[in-house]
Amino acid sequence: MADSGKDAKFFQRGKVQELRADLQADKKDKGWVKKKSVLKKIIANATMGNDMSGLFGDVVMCMNIQVLEIKKMVYLYLINYGKAKPDLVPNAIPGFLSDCNDRNPLIRALAIRTMSYIQVPAVISALIDPLRHSLKDGDPYVRKTAAICVAKLYMHDRRIVDKHGFISMLRDLLADANPTVVANAVAALTEISERSDNIQLKLNLTIASKLVSALNECSEWGQTYILESLMFFVPNDFADAEILAERIAVRLQHANSAVVLTSTKVILYLMNYIASSEFKEALCRKLSPPLVTLLSSGPEVQYVALRNILLVIQRRPIVLQNEVKVFFCKYNDPIYVKMAKLEIIYRLASERNVEQVLAELKEYASEVDVDFARKAVRSIGRLAIKIEAAADRCISALLSLIQTKVNYVVQEAIVVIKDIFRKYPNRYESIIATLCENLDSLDEPEAKAAMIWIIGQYADRIENSDELLEDFLYSFLEEPVEVQLSLLTATVKLFLKRPTAGAELVPKVLKWATEEVENPDCRDRGFMYWRLLSTDPEAAREVVLANKPPISTETDRMDRTLLDQLLLHGASLASIFHRQPQTFIRNAKARYMPDSPALDETARKNASSHLYSKPIPKGPYVASSTVPRGNLREPLNENEPGLGGAPPSVSGIHSRNGDEASTTSALVGADQNGDDPDGDPYAMLGDDFGGFGASSGGGYATDAPKPKGDIDDLLS
Amino acid sequence: MGKIDGIIILAADGRPIVHSHFQHPLPSYPLLHTDHFNNLLQSIHSSNVDLSRGEAGASLFGSDLDTLKDAKDIKPVLWVAGIPNGRASYGGEDDEEEEEEDEEGEDDDDDDDDESEQEGDDPTPGVQATPFASSGESNVWSQGVSHQDVASPPSPPSNPNLGVARGRGDKVISQAEQALAEQGAALCHIQSGNLRFLCPISSEVDPLLPLCFLRSFVSILQEYLAQSSDPNALTEDLIRDHFDIVYQLFEEILDKDGNILTTEVNFLKDLVMPPSWVDKIVKAVGVAGLASSSNPPPMMSPIPWRRPNTKYGNNELYIDMVESLEGIVEANGRPLVLDLWAKLECNARLSGNPDISISFNNPKLIEDVSFHPCVRHRRWSKEKLLSFIPPDGNFELACFRIGPPHSIPITSSPDQKTGMLVTSACNGWSKSVPIFVHSEFEMGGAPRRSTKSNPTLPHHRRGTSQPSNPTFSIQVQSQLPPDKVVENVVITFSLGPGSHSVEASTSFGEVIWNGGVGSRSGGGGGASVASQQTVQSSEVTSFGSFVWDQNSKVMKWSLEKLCSKDRPIVLKGSWKNEGEKNPNPSTAVTSRFSVPIHSLSGLKVSSLQIVGEGYKPFKGVRSMLVGEIDWRV
């Protein structure tokens, strides 16, 4: 541009004295050109961090110049330095008050807006009257600005707002003729109720439908505010919810993705209050296309959409059930998009599309990105568990992946194959030989532990199982705890199945475990085996070789209550991180499903009186029953039911619970199945499938807020 | 607390250019975010540098394997840990538990006060770090969901008054929860051209709000400063030169609390004068006139997206229907996923308040539609008519998917000979892909995966290592009739991290490979003949030009025009891989292209009417096709 560099000179450090002289200069200044340029310099300096507060008095003098451009700069200055000069601020108040009565609505609005930023007692008390007038101003721009000022004032001093009845004036604005005013009033009310404990926003049907009508003429941002506020409407009968949902569904076609996603959230919320399953199904069908459309936007929108879709499809499986192809990854997708897509692909896999999905996952397993390839391999294994009909094909896919000898692929495959053995005992043992070819390449604890488990479990079928275990035992004392535990158990199994082969190894291992190892879990388990074996070998057999509880992928679903809660927070940070907001955002309130006669039966158990009030638990309430086993990993580790040894987690998820918890549960006995009494509900919130394998690549978990750099701690 | 904390604009190198006002009490708040973001960029950079040195350094991504990192892989919503909460006071290092106890004593029923008290004594991050590690904390967390066992929260001291234990316990838990909530803030960011726009949020907001808002902000800046929607037109210098405009815009689109005020460019132009106008008006009327001219009462226009009293000498309306074919084609040439999206991009330069209606020849094809707010939904759902009063200038009227593809008669490219004849039942566009790309990578021996690979055979390419150099061969061919030209074909693929030692052996920065330029081969055959040394990639021939980027290991091959239907063009080459590492090129070749004046779907605007104003504007409608297809190897 021709005038480029023209304003850059304002960035030069100006000396306060010079500027003051310029500002006071009484020369002829046609059109205030000089004043303007001096003020510009002052603002430029202030934004660069140079202290301009010394000019306060001089700048205030400029308030009587009735030129919008100058007013804006003066106000900008006052906001910057108002708090720093509380003693001088009162000088500006007459100027403010006259501006509040200016002919120009822009200046009126600017004046009250600026006053509400300068939270000095004198200014605040001077603001009360003009604010009240502004809320009834003839110009919508002023009214809308005033509405936001009320919320601002509330954050500063809620008593003033209560005392002067501003809340009820805000409520009156909900019926304003101008939709932008309505949107801002509702945004202010929502914000106030989010912060306040005694003001609960509740919308009745009349207001809710008025708001929906106002949607049509609002700006996109106004629409998101209004849609958000509709979460405070609690339908009392099915018809209300149906009508409202239907009317909101139109918003799903909006070009702004924030509007689309917020509409989705409101519709999903209203669906809890709708009985008719046909109607709900119809709504679900309407939800799919706009979600697909979001995926054609930029990667950042895709990411937010994908994280939300993952929640939606768990709650309403009809949504997108035929659209798995939409989620197939392109080579240049950013890795976070690929990861999120992969999770969704896995969840959308069904008997109908498993062929396609499997082919796709195999493709991903050879991708360059290691974390992604790993996750793909894991997904193949989990597919085998999820869809029995596809198990054969999944196994052969895994075998061909193992033959590539790519180290991390092999390790990942072995980990999932262990799961498959658990799910389908006595079906795929023929592949053990192939697995054993790769023993040397195993260097990750999880894969090692899995392989050792397999060897122990099939100690009687693997001819040289004692030799294999002996090889592993060679480095017993250097291994991480999970491998030690696994070795300990596998050796005992070997002994029980082939006493002669294990006779030499068992005493050695037990001695190590009880005398040399420092980890209490390992020690305890060692002692337990020792006593079992020495007092009653038959009982030991029953305990150690007992049938394993079946596993299924159902457990990696999120807990329904939690899912409902997260969906109430849908389209928000909580839905990205898949964690409840109060756990990572200060002052955020948890949301609970508000009760109503129309509310879905299953949800009513945990219903509350208001979106922001905690529900009163109904009936006996047992934590462990409402917090189902979070994920596949845990049952898999409980491979010794008799010992209940919730072993220190494979993926470190339980490390926080510390040794104590595991120890106590280890002593509880057979029926406990190692149910960790502190069953951590966040365990299932892992970024990957149910917290599975957070250790195998930080990339899985980087989604979640991680304050101390320790991902595992937080995910759990 | 508002929705959005503020906006930061970063230059290409990560330096902040400008940022808006931040309400946050911590003056360094925007800097903390900037630093966090720059650290991420830096870690990506250094891990890549390590990689090219052959050292697999542990990167921030936790993976010690040799994957190239790319800045595009930074998640758009980040969690920036350790940023204290906005309303924390920084003197409050008191023992938190004591404080809680005090509050218990003071007020049992006034939750309100509790909150504010609580806010007062937020611990510093340092204080908070400890409870995380403690074992007791897990109980608090699980109770956050289950509200169970409230009598024994571990961290607060036991309460002697057991009668109200439950209520108090609840409160203690919620306070403990609050206290334990991590300190930090989320950071949303986007990139446009070389610039990055950051938007920190510290409250529970829909991340799409800041993300969409940033996009709007970028387009506002483009409109104001660059007058072009080309992302590269908006430069650091331009922003620096017009910092006053940028600040005024900050003021008008975002209030000090982070509430979005407006992003309608046409409305903003009433509040903030674009620099180009200022010059014009100053010349015309002098500065005195400026003050009075910026006085139109705001929000008087009943249509927020349109300025009242717009006037043009020549009234014009242009509509581009841009179809966009996106999808993935499998190694055997069979399309796996294909979607045809379409956008209606309009440029309206019309006076007054014209009312436009558009109808289509086959509206049934339009699915999954999303509209600009100006479109009247009701008329669309009833009459399939796009009826609207347009915004002024450039805007995107609608975006939709054209489908279902299988119901559409295939109109284009009737005769094909290549291996694309197979159509899967689910895909009607499979015969319509205007180009065909076939690629082969050889790892110095047999192809790593032939198109007819046995699925049970290992197809992972890193299994074998051969002495000879790995080679690649990319073949591209137009599938359109001779009168149509495929333009701007860009084919990109990566040769994988192993290829970095190559540079060391050739010793200059931008390595141009032995380019197999021009080869005649029939159909899908790979027999290529000529091969010549090219040093300059800028040698633009009908075979295009190619560039190898040593940093990203990406080969980019650009063809301005691709017309010949029967002669495929081949790009061949080889590369070296460092020492032990096996070659690991990309598993897909990405192609982009455009075909002007072409429509795959046959969807057309059948009528375009403008009523409400007296004039007869010039109307122009055209369609074009762009595409982005992945070809798996």
Side-chain angles (χ1 to χ4, degrees):
Chain A
M1 297 204 64
D3 58 348
S4 112
K6 185 185 72 183
D7 284 328
K9 62 175 181 287
F10 289 125
F11 270 121
Q12 291 160 358
R13 280 172 179 262
K15 292 193 185 80
V16 172
Q17 290 306 327
E18 240 169 65
L19 290 168
R20 172 173 295 138
D22 288 350
L23 208 54
Q24 288 170 345
D26 213 11
K27 280 179 222 150
K28 204 178 149 209
D29 187 5
K30 196 190 166 201
W32 309 104
V33 178
K34 281 178 192 139
K35 278 259 184 333
K36 247 184 236 174
S37 99
V38 179
L39 282 169
K40 233 182 198 181
K41 273 185 206 164
I42 295 173
I43 301 289
N45 271 295
T47 47
M48 285 171 72
N50 301 336
D51 185 14
M52 293 284 121
S53 60
L55 295 166
F56 199 92
D58 306 285
V59 175
V60 168
M61 299 294 278
C62 298
M63 277 183 90
N64 56 6
I65 302 172
Q66 295 300 317
V67 174
L68 192 61
E69 213 184 335
I70 289 184
K71 275 225 139 63
K72 276 185 185 166
M73 286 193 276
V74 172
Y75 280 169
L76 201 58
Y77 179 90
L78 289 178
I79 294 166
N80 264 340
Y81 292 109
K83 270 189 186 162
K85 299 271 171 187
D87 45 327
L88 290 177
V89 167
N91 300 338
I93 290 178
F96 277 132
L97 292 181
S98 95
D99 283 353
C100 286
N101 293 315
D102 196 279
R103 191 172 46 87
N104 184 341
L106 278 180
I107 292 184
R108 293 203 296 277
L110 203 56
I112 55 162
R113 202 165 89 190
T114 312
M115 285 174 86
S116 74
Y117 293 140
I118 307 173
Q119 293 170 346
V120 173
V123 178
I124 294 296
S125 56
L127 173 66
I128 305 291
D129 274 335
L131 183 57
R132 188 179 300 124
H133 291 299
S134 303
L135 283 166
K136 296 185 169 159
D137 196 284
D139 189 278
Y141 185 72
V142 181
R143 291 202 298 278
K144 155 203 129 130
T145 311
I148 297 170
C149 288
V150 173
K152 177 78 187 158
L153 194 58
Y154 187 86
M155 299 313 143
H156 175 67
D157 187 347
R158 45 196 79 182
R159 287 193 191 86
I160 290 186
V161 174
D162 289 343
K163 195 170 127 200
H164 295 276
F166 282 130
I167 299 282
S168 68
M169 291 182 77
L170 268 189
R171 212 176 293 137
D172 295 342
L173 283 187
L174 291 184
D176 199 281
N178 185 302
T180 314
V181 176
V182 175
N184 282 281
V186 94
L189 281 172
T190 315
E191 203 171 331
I192 288 172
S193 82
E194 268 164 19
R195 297 286 159 208
S196 158
D197 289 319
N198 51 8
I199 296 171
Q200 290 188 329
L201 182 59
K202 280 184 184 171
L203 303 178
N204 60 26
L205 184 62
T206 332
I207 294 181
S209 40
K210 254 192 197 146
L211 288 176
V212 176
S213 324
L215 277 176
N216 274 331
E217 293 140 59
C218 272
S219 78
E220 43 205 331
W221 314 113
Q223 293 196 14
T224 58
Y225 296 155
I226 290 185
L227 286 167
E228 192 63 53
S229 75
L230 289 173
M231 296 295 283
F232 293 89
F233 167 69
V234 184
N236 273 320
D237 63 66
F238 308 136
D240 294 354
E242 287 179 11
I243 293 168
L244 211 59
E246 191 83 344
R247 288 177 66 191
I248 294 168
V250 182
R251 294 295 125 201
L252 294 171
Q253 294 183 337
H254 201 284
N256 184 308
S257 39
V259 173
V260 174
L261 208 54
T262 314
S263 308
T264 310
K265 162 168 97 170
V266 179
I267 291 173
L268 284 166
Y269 160 70
L270 290 172
M271 274 164 73
N272 290 309
Y273 300 89
I274 294 174
S276 152
S277 55
E278 295 91 55
F279 196 88
K280 278 192 275 193
E281 226 169 275
L283 278 177
C284 283
R285 286 217 184 81
K286 280 189 187 168
L287 288 179
S288 303
L291 291 176
V292 172
T293 310
L294 289 184
L295 295 181
S296 70
S297 330
E300 66 270 359
V301 173
Q302 280 187 45
Y303 175 66
V304 176
L306 288 167
R307 295 294 287 173
N308 276 285
I309 288 172
L310 190 58
L311 291 177
V312 173
I313 57 174
Q314 287 181 74
R315 181 69 182 84
R316 305 281 174 196
I318 303 176
V319 179
L320 294 167
Q321 63 174 349
N322 296 324
E323 301 279 359
V324 71
K325 277 189 161 186
V326 175
F327 299 96
F328 286 178
C329 301
K330 294 188 102 180
Y331 185 75
N332 282 337
D333 280 340
I335 192 69
Y336 56 83
V337 166
K338 285 185 181 174
M339 288 290 208
K341 279 183 174 173
L342 186 49
E343 273 175 66
I344 293 171
I345 291 174
Y346 163 70
R347 287 196 196 271
L348 289 178
S350 65
E351 276 193 36
R352 272 176 298 118
N353 59 22
V354 70
E355 190 83 29
Q356 263 178 344
V357 168
L358 191 58
E360 198 63 17
L361 291 177
K362 272 155 68 183
E363 186 74 34
Y364 301 158
S366 62
E367 276 256 16
V368 182
D369 190 278
V370 176
D371 291 338
F372 183 60
R374 277 170 174 276
K375 197 166 181 164
V377 175
R378 230 171 244 246
S379 304
I380 294 175
R382 298 174 58 70
L383 212 54
I385 296 165
K386 183 180 172 185
I387 302 166
E388 189 163 356
D392 286 352
R393 275 169 286 170
C394 294
I395 283 282
S396 74
L398 286 172
L399 280 180
S400 70
L401 286 171
I402 287 176
Q403 264 142 15
T404 61
K405 306 275 183 197
V406 177
N407 191 283
Y408 58 85
V409 170
V410 172
Q411 310 214 37
E412 208 63 43
I414 285 179
V415 172
V416 279
I417 285 176
K418 180 198 71 175
D419 299 354
I420 297 174
F421 281 162
R422 278 284 310 273
K423 168 81 177 179
Y424 309 111
N426 306 321
R427 210 192 283 181
Y428 296 112
E429 281 70 23
S430 54
I431 66 169
I432 289 176
T434 321
L435 301 185
C436 289
E437 287 164 18
N438 296 286
L439 290 184
D440 298 337
S441 63
L442 302 181
D443 54 9
E444 292 166 18
E446 198 181 0
K448 255 190 190 173
M451 192 63 220
I452 294 165
W453 182 87
I454 293 172
I455 296 173
Q457 190 66 16
Y458 298 102
D460 46 346
R461 312 251 190 108
I462 305 172
E463 247 172 55
N464 57 344
S465 53
D466 48 335
E467 290 164 28
L468 295 176
L469 277 180
E470 200 171 357
D471 282 351
F472 277 114
L473 282 169
Y474 198 71
S475 55
F476 182 83
L477 291 173
E478 288 93 59
E479 296 289 356
V481 171
E482 58 177 303
V483 179
Q484 287 178 338
L485 284 170
S486 181
L487 272 171
L488 181 58
T489 307
T491 317
V492 172
K493 278 183 186 165
L494 170 72
F495 174 69
L496 290 170
K497 289 185 173 176
R498 298 170 58 195
T500 44
E504 239 178 82
L505 296 178
V506 166
K508 200 162 67 177
V509 175
L510 288 179
K511 201 162 153 46
W512 278 334
T514 51
E515 287 173 15
E516 310 247 349
V517 174
E518 282 182 3
N519 182 289
D521 278 345
C522 191
R523 271 208 315 266
D524 280 343
R525 202 188 280 191
F527 278 123
M528 228 170 330
Y529 283 134
W530 200 323
R531 281 170 203 154
L532 263 175
L533 291 172
S534 57
T535 50
D536 189 351
E538 227 8 78
R541 178 176 297 274
E542 267 172 46
V543 168
V544 177
L545 302 179
N547 283 330
K548 313 288 171 280
I551 58 167
S552 82
T553 50
E554 283 309 295
T555 45
D556 61 29
R557 282 226 189 132
M558 230 178 247
D559 168 40
R560 167 70 187 279
T561 319
L562 191 59
L563 190 58
D564 276 342
Q565 280 185 341
L566 285 179
L567 283 171
L568 289 176
H569 291 285
S572 72
L573 288 179
S575 68
I576 299 292
F577 299 133
H578 287 191
R579 291 194 31 189
Q580 292 169 305
Q582 72 272 23
T583 62
F584 63 95
I585 296 174
R586 208 44 98 79
N587 300 324
K589 284 188 190 174
R591 290 185 167 183
Y592 304 92
M593 197 76 78
D595 202 0
S596 117
L599 184 59
D600 178 66
E601 270 311 311
T602 41
R604 277 194 94 168
K605 281 203 300 275
N606 297 299
S608 71
S609 61
H610 183 265
L611 192 62
Y612 284 136
S613 10
K614 282 192 178 174
I616 301 111
K618 298 178 173 78
Y621 193 71
V622 184
S624 56
S625 72
T626 52
V627 183
R629 308 309 303 144
N631 52 45
L632 196 51
R633 179 186 53 77
E634 286 162 308
L636 284 171
N637 286 325
E638 293 152 15
N639 48 24
E640 317 315 337
L643 296 158
S649 64
V650 172
S651 56
I653 276 197
H654 277 251
S655 50
R656 249 185 341 93
N657 291 339
D659 305 318
E660 244 171 90
S662 314
T663 314
T664 39
S665 63
L667 296 169
V668 171
D671 54 343
Q672 182 90 19
N673 269 341
D675 249 11
D676 185 346
D678 292 331
D680 187 342
Y682 297 103
M684 64 196 90
L685 296 185
D687 190 20
D688 48 326
F689 307 141
F692 211 148
S695 68
S696 59
Y700 282 30
T702 40
D703 253 347
K706 38 167 186 170
K708 314 295 174 242
D710 187 342
I711 291 155
D712 295 340
D713 263 12
L714 272 169
L715 278 182
S716 30
Chain B
M1 301 298 285
K3 310 276 176 196
I4 286 168
D5 292 350
I7 308 170
I8 309 164
I9 306 180
L10 298 188
D13 57 359
R15 273 177 308 111
I17 305 174
V18 278
H19 67 74
S20 67
H21 179 89
F22 278 81
Q23 187 71 358
H24 204 278
L26 200 62
S28 62
Y29 183 73
L31 277 179
L32 286 171
H33 282 281
T34 313
D35 286 351
H36 179 84
F37 192 79
N38 279 325
N39 286 342
L40 273 177
L41 286 178
Q42 188 57 41
S43 75
I44 285 172
H45 179 70
S46 59
S47 91
N48 284 348
V49 169
D50 285 352
L51 221 96
S52 57
R53 281 205 224 102
E55 305 159 11
S59 76
L60 205 120
F61 289 80
S63 143
D64 52 356
L65 284 140
D66 52 358
T67 314
L68 277 177
K69 306 296 181 204
D70 193 333
K72 84 173 157 69
D73 288 333
I74 301 180
K75 283 182 179 158
V77 183
L78 298 165
W79 181 254
V80 185
I83 293 186
N85 178 263
R87 290 192 285 167
S89 72
Y90 302 104
E93 294 232 22
D94 327 33
D95 183 353
E96 199 196 342
E97 291 171 6
E98 265 180 38
E99 285 289 327
E100 278 174 5
E101 183 76 326
D102 287 349
E103 282 173 32
E104 293 286 288
E106 279 164 31
D107 37 46
D108 271 349
D109 42 8
D110 189 357
D111 287 0
D112 190 359
D113 272 9
D114 251 357
E115 258 260 303
S116 51
E117 290 262 348
Q118 163 73 16
E119 289 155 16
D121 56 57
D122 283 348
T124 58
V127 175
Q128 272 210 323
T130 33
F132 259 95
S134 79
S135 61
E137 176 241 334
S138 64
N139 289 328
V140 182
W141 277 48
S142 49
Q143 279 155 9
V145 176
S146 59
H147 321 293
Q148 242 278 311
D149 200 14
V150 286
S152 60
S155 53
S158 62
N159 195 326
N161 189 351
L162 290 171
V164 284
R166 191 180 179 89
R168 285 190 172 185
D170 265 335
K171 201 152 71 183
V172 171
I173 286 166
S174 73
Q175 282 169 356
E177 237 173 39
Q178 288 263 315
L180 288 170
E182 293 143 30
Q183 299 229 341
L187 172 62
C188 301
H189 63 95
I190 62 166
Q191 182 168 11
S192 173
N194 277 327
L195 304 174
R196 290 170 199 278
F197 296 79
L198 313 189
C199 189
I201 43 177
S202 55
S203 55
E204 170 76 335
V205 195
D206 179 356
L208 282 181
L209 203 73
L211 290 171
C212 294
F213 170 71
L214 285 177
R215 283 278 169 228
S216 313
F217 179 61
V218 170
S219 60
I220 291 170
L221 285 185
Q222 285 170 345
E223 174 73 24
Y224 263 82
L225 305 182
Q227 279 107 39
S228 146
S229 56
D230 173 15
N232 292 316
L234 188 67
T235 60
E236 183 185 343
D237 289 341
L238 213 48
I239 290 178
R240 283 197 191 281
D241 291 346
H242 296 285
F243 79 93
D244 58 325
I245 299 275
V246 178
Y247 272 114
Q248 284 188 53
L249 287 173
F250 279 147
E251 286 293 295
E252 293 304 333
I253 61 177
L254 200 62
D255 75 0
K256 287 279 179 297
D257 298 321
N259 293 306
I260 300 170
L261 299 173
T262 180
T263 50
E264 284 297 341
V265 171
N266 287 313
F267 174 57
L268 277 171
K269 283 181 179 167
D270 283 344
L271 304 171
V272 181
M273 199 146 300
S276 52
W277 292 15
V278 177
D279 296 344
K280 274 185 211 154
I281 295 175
V282 169
K283 272 177 208 146
V285 293
V287 184
L290 202 60
S292 56
S293 74
S294 64
N295 256 358
M299 298 182 67
M300 287 301 280
S301 165
I303 314 155
W305 55 86
R306 195 172 174 85
R307 288 163 57 81
N309 314 320
T310 319
K311 281 223 165 59
Y312 283 101
N314 294 322
N315 290 296
E316 298 161 319
L317 174 66
Y318 299 97
I319 300 179
D320 283 356
M321 188 163 88
V322 184
E323 290 184 358
S324 168
L325 185 68
E326 292 169 21
I328 304 167
V329 180
E330 288 184 287
N332 58 11
R334 197 173 62 209
L336 179 67
V337 196
L338 284 177
D339 264 315
L340 189 61
W341 294 89
K343 272 181 196 167
L344 288 178
E345 287 172 357
C346 302
N347 184 3
R349 304 167 64 80
L350 301 168
S351 313
N353 282 336
D355 201 321
I356 303 179
S357 13
I358 295 177
S359 62
F360 297 95
N361 61 346
N362 194 356
K364 276 182 201 153
L365 294 179
I366 298 177
E367 286 191 344
D368 302 0
V369 66
S370 76
F371 293 124
H372 188 278
C374 67
V375 176
R376 298 179 180 107
H377 286 272
R378 199 161 291 163
R379 293 202 68 185
W380 172 255
S381 52
K382 279 189 185 149
E383 307 164 48
K384 295 290 168 196
L385 201 67
L386 284 181
S387 156
F388 58 98
I389 296 173
D392 195 27
N394 288 309
F395 63 99
E396 187 184 308
L397 181 65
C399 162
F400 48 87
R401 181 154 73 158
I402 301 182
H406 47 78
S407 66
I408 294 169
I410 293 146
T411 50
S412 61
S413 60
D415 55 339
Q416 305 177 34
K417 298 160 200 152
T418 46
M420 295 181 47
L421 292 167
V422 198
T423 41
S424 57
C426 55
N427 217 314
W429 302 122
S430 55
K431 289 189 175 182
S432 323
V433 184
I435 61 168
F436 174 67
V437 176
H438 179 76
S439 51
E440 267 174 36
F441 287 87
E442 288 192 26
M443 306 302 143
R448 75 163 174 226
R449 201 188 330 165
S450 75
T451 48
K452 283 167 193 159
S453 80
N454 184 340
T456 58
L457 277 177
H459 61 247
H460 214 277
R461 58 205 176 283
R462 276 157 284 195
T464 50
S465 64
Q466 282 82 16
S468 62
N469 285 340
T471 61
F472 60 84
S473 151
I474 315 287
Q475 179 184 318
V476 59
Q477 188 176 9
S478 166
Q479 298 289 320
L480 292 180
D483 57 316
K484 294 265 181 190
V485 179
V486 187
E487 291 185 355
N488 302 319
V489 181
V490 178
I491 290 174
T492 49
F493 54 94
S494 154
L495 293 181
S499 56
H500 57 86
S501 72
V502 166
E503 192 214 18
S505 67
T506 48
S507 83
F508 46 92
E510 229 187 30
V511 186
I512 307 304
W513 291 101
N514 294 347
V517 183
S519 64
R520 184 186 289 271
S521 64
S528 63
V529 203
S531 150
Q532 70 181 63
Q533 289 275 354
T534 49
V535 183
Q536 275 304 319
S537 65
S538 56
E539 191 186 316
V540 180
T541 63
S542 58
F543 308 115
S545 59
F546 45 90
V547 168
W548 160 253
D549 179 13
Q550 177 59 33
N551 289 324
S552 59
K553 318 289 181 205
V554 168
M555 178 68 113
K556 185 173 168 189
W557 182 24
S558 322
L559 293 138
E560 265 184 21
K561 279 188 177 150
L562 185 66
C563 15
S564 161
K565 187 164 153 39
D566 45 18
R567 269 177 61 194
I569 300 176
V570 180
L571 175 71
K572 276 194 163 197
S574 70
W575 74 97
K576 281 186 192 162
N577 246 46
E578 181 181 346
E580 305 285 295
K581 279 178 188 156
N582 289 318
N584 191 7
S586 56
T587 53
V589 171
T590 306
S591 67
R592 276 172 227 259
F593 53 85
S594 62
V595 187
I597 325 290
H598 186 67
S599 162
L600 271 191
S601 63
L603 185 72
K604 286 195 176 78
V605 172
S606 58
S607 86
L608 171 59
Q609 284 174 344
I610 303 175
V611 293
E613 297 290 333
Y615 53 82
K616 284 242 176 215
F618 177 81
K619 298 181 279 191
V621 184
R622 63 176 181 184
S623 36
M624 66 179 293
L625 173 72
V626 297
E628 185 175 340
I629 309 270
D630 266 17
W631 304 81
R632 289 193 172 155
V633 180

